[in-house]
Amino acid sequence: MDLYKDKNAPIESRVKDLMSKMTIEEKIGQMIQLPAKAGIVEENFIDKLEEWHIGSFLHCTGEGAAEIQRLAEKTRLGIPVIFGIDAIHGHCFEDKGTVFPTQLALSSSWNKDIVKEMAKVTATEVRACGLHWTFSPVLCVGRDTRWGRINETFGEDQWLIGELACAAIEGYQGENLSSENSILACAKHFAGYGESTGGRDSYESEISKRKMLSLFLPPFEKAVKKAKAATLMTGYQAIDGVPATANSWLLRDIPKEGWDFKGFIVTDWNNIAALINRQSVCGNMEDAAYEGIIAGNDMMMATPEFFDSAVKFAKEGKIPEEMINDSAERILRLKFELGLFDEKRHTSPELKDAIVGKKEHWDISLEASRQSLTLLKNDNTLPLDKPKSIFLTGPCADDVVAQLGDWSFGSMQAGATDESFHKDDTITVLDALKSAANDFNYQFDYLKGADIVDSNFDETDLAAEKAANSEYTIVCIGDIISQHGEGHDRAKLELSGKQQQLLEKVKATGTKLIVLFIASKPLAISWVKENADAIICCFNPGAKGGVAIKEALFGELNPAGKLTISFPYSAGQLPVHYDRYGGWHCDNGDNYERYIDHPEAPVFSFGEGMSYTTFEYSNLKMVNSAITEGENPKAQVTVKNSGSRKGIEVVQLYINDIVSSVTTPIMNLRAYKRVELEAGESKTVELEIEFDELSIVNQKLEKFVEKGDFEVYVGPSSKREECLKAIFTY
Ligand code: BGC
């Protein structure tokens, strides 16, 4: 038997043995990933499996994937195919798959455990379908809410993104990649893609190397070093004139050399051809293939033409063979680790049916929806206490895709929006409030009221009539799938269609106005903040979002979410992230308004979120107020539940490097804890900052911790006026 087929042999020996038997064409074939459409691979791509020795397919599902795997087994060396899929908030490309809240929604939980659980469930379902790799999590820093893909991010803070991303990666990959609950994670988009200028998707990102090192790369570094992310995906953007795909500093020097990254790097969709037809840095496919390999990409997504050019160059000796060997080895190593050469190669329809969308998975999804909800305002309106009548209105009250969000089959990559997808498993706000009417004994009425895109759809007068006769009116506003996602950026962030008119007419009736914000991103809703009696931010809360929202409205659930992204007054105020700079013409950021027509602070701030109980902070002190090199500073604070019911508080710690050789933001999140407290209970909460997280990147691009004093702010949000302050020295 060939050594590479011996499952008891060490993986490195198996890789070496297999590599020694492979032709250059077979090695280059491993570096290609071909796409499927709506789960099916086209005939001519199936032929390429044998002809080009294709190593990977994406978006292939069901029997189509099983068939390809069987065909691969019959090829000369029988190298298994690795299947990738965008299972980014659950295995959503399967109709019966468990759908979770989007990354942005789930990040409001600030709960690594629930993020990890989401990832585990997703991994289990993906693997049961014979697929091995998810293009998740997204580590883009979501600071420009005009960008169409804000919903895919964990929000605006790079440090929190790194923490939550590690939890997701650990959940996807598990302890052992060959387990039936493990798949490869893919930290994307490497790096700085979310910062594209003006929020324009896949445009240039204006980022200096210093900012790359201090802000955009750290979450990826954590993902690679701490969580051992198996793969990275490049972005579509160029930075300072160099497309990510052609950037050897970004792909080789940083992760492969600098972080000892052992996995492989996949390009984003057709990034190699984009070097020619979008970014115009290459004149033909031969140059593009060359640039792609030299820069350090290991697998080329959806660029079939890569094969011929790469083979030609390799045969002519223009591309060092070690580079091709290195890429092929990285891919094969992971295939061995996944157990794909052994009994883990095939799955069965029975296994899929038993695992996908099983009850335990949906229970976790519901819990994730609960933890995604953030109470942003409450003038003693919630929880509802024996309401006599409720009128529900607004375009997001009964829109399945608005509730599920992008990549739930309503996305560009997954084909046309199909509202029937996941329909059976989704409980909208309308479903939940209609069925609760009996239990809670209220009169219930519903009218859509307004449409998000069609401004001619106008039921606002009728809605106002109904609101006038109701004790409470719940208005579900937000956005829908055609307003976000790839290539769907927004220059205007105001509520579209007749949503604003609907709100104003309802308000004018004197009914109690409760607003549910079901959207892919923060929109400009300062009117809502001023005029609503209560607001719950749900983002895209997932298939069971309706249930979680109903529980929150009636107080069966005490919301504990905190925003991970700021809400701007208007698009003109962007960027408005909390970690802004002080500097000239401002009083260190807090008391000076730079714009003459907008406050400096956002409408809702990073870290903000209320509860049905209240919390008091006192006695902040440093455990060690003078630290030495390598020593983690620790702070202690007393948090008391001063209200009348149990609740969870996310205690946040921010630092400010008081004097530093380069400008630093006025504050940076560096630690937090979710603390559960009974009514009246107090706890001493200890928060620890990792020494390295105090570092800055100086003018010479050196990263280190500078000596000096640091302020520590601890409190319920990033609003400094709500925080207690302490100081420590290094
Ligand atoms: C997106 C990636 C995604 C890939 C495959 C691209 O257009 O940018 O995030 O993983 O397609 O679907």
Side-chain angles (χ1 to χ4, degrees), residues 58-59 86 135 149 152 188-189 193 233 236 268-269 301 407 413 486:
L58 79 153
H59 292 174
D86 289 276
F135 304 130
R149 304 187 72 175
E152 295 181 51
K188 71 184 189 187
H189 307 79
Y193 169 52
M233 185 191 291
Y236 285 138
D268 202 343
W269 187 281
M301 181 193 289
W407 297 103
Q413 298 290 353
E486 286 186 63

Side-chain angles (χ1 to χ4, degrees), residues 23 60 129 219 245 270 316 327 353 401 463-464 473 516 553 579 596 621 642-643 673 721 730:
T23 62
C60 187
C129 294
T245 325
N270 207 7
E316 288 169 356
S327 294
D353 289 347
V401 184
T473 298
L516 299 176
L553 290 171
D579 46 343
I596 55 166
K621 61 170 195 284
S642 48
K673 251 188 201 154
E721 65 278 13
Y730 165 55

Side-chain angles (χ1 to χ4, degrees), residues 209 247-260 295:
K209 255 193 187 171
N247 190 336
S248 62
W249 173 78
L250 183 64
L251 307 186
R252 282 197 192 277
D253 301 358
I254 297 285
K256 290 183 173 175
E257 303 294 328
W259 302 340
D260 198 24

Side-chain angles (χ1 to χ4, degrees), residues 115-117 119-121 123 166-174 181-182:
V115 171
K116 194 167 175 178
E117 287 294 301
K120 255 195 216 165
V121 167
C166 284
I169 293 163
E170 284 161 13
Y172 288 132
Q173 298 188 169
N181 304 320
S182 296

